[in-house]
Amino acid sequence: MRLEPVLVVIAHGSRDPRHAATVHALVRRVRSLRPGLRVETGFLDFNIPSVQGVLESLAAEGVRDVVALPLLLTRAFHAKADIPAVLREAPRRLRIRQAEVLGPSPLLLAALERRLYEAGLTPADKPSTGVVLASAGSTDAEAIAVIAEIAREWRHTGWCAVRPAFASASLPRTEVAIGELRALGCERVAVAPYVLAPGFLPDRIARGAAEADVLAGVLGPAPEVARLLLRRYDGARAPLLAAVGA
């Protein structure tokens, strides 16, 4: 029986130790959901092991098939350029398929709501609560459009209003979006960070949320996020297995 492709989760990396700790917690949850699957973690920058180091180690062990999964919420520069460039430098014996980025997905909306409820809201609060969907930001127009569309979609699930905001590169900032929701007449305002792990930009989101009534935690190792990783893995592994007649 052929072994499943190894899942290599590719994280950005950060000087903030909370980032790697959160990534590892998420990967542990993924492993717990599918105990037979080998899951490795590689970082693009700042942390070890590097993506290249992980791939070289797998090749040295004799691994053949790999699914490389970008731990990213939008398809911006890292997914379009950085990660493909790293994968092109992988050992030639590896067959690698790059999985889709995580977002958008209903599972991410479910994880966002989980974090808001953990921060003190209840489903009964939705009609009177405005939400700031606060992302890291990007210079990629496609990524920004996706965030705006997620906010529009999320609004239709019962919230008073939802506004996108960005910690860098794009506008509005979190504090401005909070003011817009107040002006709309929302009784309370909550900020939902659309980020996977703590770090410099999530901290900026938190500072911008000073005037909000509720600040949710980062998505981190939410069960929905772990399930989504496996969904993206399964979507990428099927062509790999088909190519070798598994």
Side-chain angles (χ1 to χ4, degrees), residues 24-39:
H24 290 312
L26 174 58
V27 169
R28 285 194 297 272
R29 186 177 286 271
V30 171
R31 291 187 182 121
S32 73
L33 291 176
R34 194 170 295 182
L37 175 64
R38 181 173 179 181
V39 187

Side-chain angles (χ1 to χ4, degrees), residues 46-213:
F46 301 116
N47 302 105
I48 55 174
S50 68
V51 177
Q52 188 67 21
V54 169
L55 296 175
E56 289 174 357
S57 294
L58 291 173
E61 291 178 30
V63 169
R64 189 76 170 101
D65 296 317
V66 171
V67 169
L69 195 159
L71 199 60
L72 301 169
L73 296 175
T74 58
R75 191 173 176 274
F77 182 78
H78 292 305
K80 295 177 180 178
D82 283 354
I83 292 176
V86 170
L87 297 181
R88 283 195 294 271
E89 298 300 316
R92 294 175 64 90
R93 68 162 283 112
L94 294 177
R95 281 192 296 256
I96 303 175
R97 187 169 182 87
Q98 182 175 328
E100 294 295 329
V101 298
L102 299 181
S105 169
L107 284 170
L108 290 175
L109 289 181
L112 286 166
E113 296 209 353
R114 171 187 292 275
R115 294 302 188 225
L116 286 170
Y117 298 150
E118 289 171 350
L121 293 178
T122 70
D125 294 323
K126 293 179 76 169
S128 57
T129 302
V131 179
V132 178
L133 180 68
S135 77
S138 174
T139 57
D140 188 289
E142 177 187 350
I144 296 304
V146 167
I147 297 298
E149 178 58 30
I150 292 170
R152 285 191 290 269
E153 178 183 342
W154 201 15
R155 161 68 180 84
H156 295 307
T157 67
W159 297 100
C160 173
V162 180
R163 290 286 186 274
F166 307 93
S168 69
S170 307
L171 296 173
R173 295 286 183 258
T174 300
E175 53 269 34
V176 173
I178 291 171
E180 292 175 353
L181 291 170
R182 299 277 190 211
L184 283 174
C186 299
E187 291 182 18
R188 68 183 65 78
V189 175
V191 174
Y194 192 61
V195 294
L196 286 164
F200 177 75
L201 293 178
D203 284 349
R204 181 179 289 177
I205 290 171
R207 290 193 298 272
E211 297 301 318
D213 301 294

